[in-house]
Amino acid sequence: MSQEIAVVGSPEFTTGFRLAGVRRFENVPDAEKDETLDDAVTDVLDDDGVGIVVMHDDDLEYLSRNVRQNVETSVEPVVVTIGSGTGGGGLREQIKRAIGIDLMEEDNE
Amino acid sequence: MAKDVKPTRKNLMAIDDRIDLSERGHGTLEKKRDGLIMEFMDILDKAQDVRGELSDDYEEAQKKINMARAMEGDVAVRGAAAALEEHPEITTEAKNIMGVVVPQIESSRVSKSLDQRGYGVLGTSARIDEAAEAYEDLLESIILAAEVETAMKKMLREIETTKRRVNALEFKLLPELYENKEYIEQKLEEQEREEIFRLKKIKEKKEQEEKQEEQATDEETESDEAVEQATAGGVPGGD
């Protein structure tokens, strides 16, 4: 089954992706992120037609605890965050928990 | 707990079997955990490279779109973005790494030629084309990152589960089984000692009884003989 790529974020963030052909997007202006970002992300995560969700790293801060946890652990669709370069949000924590060592810190140094 | 088991030979044999099975399972799971961690290390290296590329592509794309916005205006860029007709799609295939099913993502229609983009070539400038191209490259990197990160998340989950199972066997189940085994063995030894002691006591008692019986019989015989002698001595003097 073919799936789509979705983008969630401010209009400035999503425009570039729309230019590359992404048609599933949720525009959430910066001023409304506290109230509406949770719903927008949940909508996209619940959509079976979406395979990859793209978000900005900084937007994770606006999410409620539950939605943030879903974003960090979701595999179908997988959420790719871009912006700060470290990526993976909770991935680092997950690695620390599963392996017992902070491998990402070691690699960054 | 050790107190819950009945100290019987049958239970001891059952516990021995369970210890054997648990130890074998523990060994296998440890090997699986180590194998998964090694596979994960390979994927982690790949993920670091992909992340680096992704950051570079994102920076490049940001620069290009900012330039397009500055030169053409935000409205023109949004207008071009809204006109896109071809949409990128992804298809997922499953790949198995040590029992963990990880996806292999195939993408189509991500990179497009100028005429496939759908916005008019005359109405827009090269800046928008460059921005669109940069974002197409960024999408390719994102798809690669999604593939690698999904694999990482799935493998981490499996590693965590396996680790938990190994620890449960090593620190909970096996010590409990060993404790139960020791308890049953001690109880059985105690029962054996009690049995020997009891047999000894019975033997002693029996011997004592036999001795008493013998003594009683001896005494009886002696008294009988005395009576007989007395009766034999009294007859001649009767005339």
Side-chain angles (χ1 to χ4, degrees):
Chain A
M1 188 185 98
S2 67
Q3 289 173 308
E4 277 187 81
I5 299 170
V7 188
V8 183
S10 59
E12 291 77 34
F13 181 73
T14 56
T15 309
F17 290 97
R18 289 173 62 202
L19 210 51
V22 174
R23 61 176 162 182
R24 181 78 169 89
F25 63 96
E26 295 282 342
N27 275 342
V28 184
D30 286 332
E32 294 169 24
K33 276 182 182 168
D34 274 332
E35 296 89 41
T36 51
L37 193 65
D38 267 358
D39 294 337
V41 172
T42 312
D43 276 354
V44 174
L45 288 180
D46 291 341
D47 190 339
D48 290 336
V50 173
I52 299 171
V53 180
V54 186
M55 281 182 74
H56 196 281
D57 267 335
D58 299 340
D59 287 347
L60 292 178
E61 301 296 323
Y62 296 98
L63 296 175
S64 65
R65 201 174 155 189
N66 284 344
V67 179
R68 190 176 172 153
Q69 203 175 1
N70 283 346
V71 165
E72 283 168 354
T73 53
S74 173
V75 170
E76 277 170 18
V78 62
V79 182
V80 179
T81 56
I82 50 174
S84 66
T86 51
L91 205 61
R92 190 168 165 180
E93 277 302 311
Q94 226 178 324
I95 292 175
K96 249 201 265 183
R97 207 172 50 238
I99 314 276
I101 317 162
D102 192 356
L103 290 169
M104 282 190 143
E105 190 185 51
E106 206 175 276
D107 287 351
N108 287 336
E109 276 169 4
Chain B
M1 279 302 288
K3 305 287 170 284
D4 294 337
V5 285
K6 278 186 183 168
T8 58
R9 291 218 174 268
K10 195 184 163 198
N11 275 352
L12 185 66
M13 279 160 70
I15 284 176
D16 269 336
D17 285 347
R18 280 190 72 192
I19 286 176
D20 193 38
L21 183 72
S22 305
E23 275 179 347
R24 266 188 291 145
H26 179 251
T28 316
L29 283 173
E30 257 187 341
K31 278 181 200 159
K32 184 185 174 185
R33 182 196 62 192
D34 295 347
L36 278 171
I37 290 176
M38 279 168 74
E39 289 283 347
F40 177 78
M41 291 297 189
D42 289 343
I43 294 180
L44 187 71
D45 285 343
K46 204 175 157 190
Q48 298 285 340
D49 296 342
V50 170
R51 267 283 154 191
E53 276 173 36
L54 187 63
S55 294
D56 295 344
D57 285 347
Y58 181 59
E59 266 176 44
E60 186 66 25
Q62 284 280 92
K63 270 185 209 165
K64 292 271 168 67
I65 202 163
N66 286 341
M67 186 64 86
R69 272 197 190 112
M71 303 296 279
E72 307 295 321
D74 198 35
V75 177
V77 177
R78 284 190 194 193
L84 262 287
E85 282 167 358
E86 291 278 323
H87 306 286
E89 281 182 351
I90 51 166
T91 44
T92 337
E93 274 175 40
K95 188 181 141 195
N96 198 325
I97 302 177
M98 297 196 77
V100 187
V101 181
V102 297
Q104 266 188 319
I105 304 173
E106 296 283 329
S107 58
S108 59
R109 290 185 288 182
V110 176
S111 294
K112 295 174 275 291
S113 61
L114 203 58
D115 56 314
Q116 281 176 324
R117 287 200 183 120
Y119 51 77
V121 183
L122 291 175
T124 55
S125 77
R127 312 258 181 230
I128 291 176
D129 297 337
E130 279 173 13
E133 212 177 306
Y135 267 94
E136 283 165 6
D137 290 344
L138 178 62
L139 274 187
E140 297 271 10
S141 296
I142 285 173
I143 290 164
L144 204 59
E147 186 182 306
V148 175
E149 280 181 16
T150 314
M152 275 172 80
K153 280 180 187 171
K154 283 196 163 188
M155 288 193 80
L156 278 174
R157 254 184 229 175
E158 192 66 24
I159 289 172
E160 226 180 312
T161 318
T162 316
K163 206 173 137 186
R164 225 173 261 166
R165 282 182 189 149
V166 170
N167 285 348
L169 280 173
E170 197 174 330
F171 299 111
K172 180 102 177 95
L173 192 70
L174 277 169
E176 259 180 31
L177 287 174
Y178 281 125
E179 200 186 330
N180 286 352
K181 189 186 170 183
E182 211 183 312
Y183 170 74
I184 294 180
E185 277 174 350
Q186 277 177 359
K187 275 277 169 193
L188 286 177
E189 273 174 31
E190 204 179 305
Q191 279 174 8
E192 218 169 292
R193 278 197 300 275
E194 274 173 11
E195 191 65 29
I196 291 170
F197 183 73
R198 199 164 43 239
L199 284 174
K200 265 187 183 174
K201 277 277 170 196
I202 292 169
K203 202 179 166 190
E204 267 174 33
K205 210 177 173 184
K206 232 178 180 181
E207 276 173 0
Q208 217 172 358
E209 275 175 9
E210 274 174 16
K211 221 175 177 182
Q212 276 175 354
E213 226 168 80
E214 236 171 69
Q215 243 176 358
T217 337
D218 286 350
E219 274 169 20
E220 216 172 279
T221 336
E222 269 173 32
S223 62
D224 280 354
E225 274 172 11
V227 171
E228 264 175 37
Q229 272 176 4
T231 35
V235 172
D239 281 332

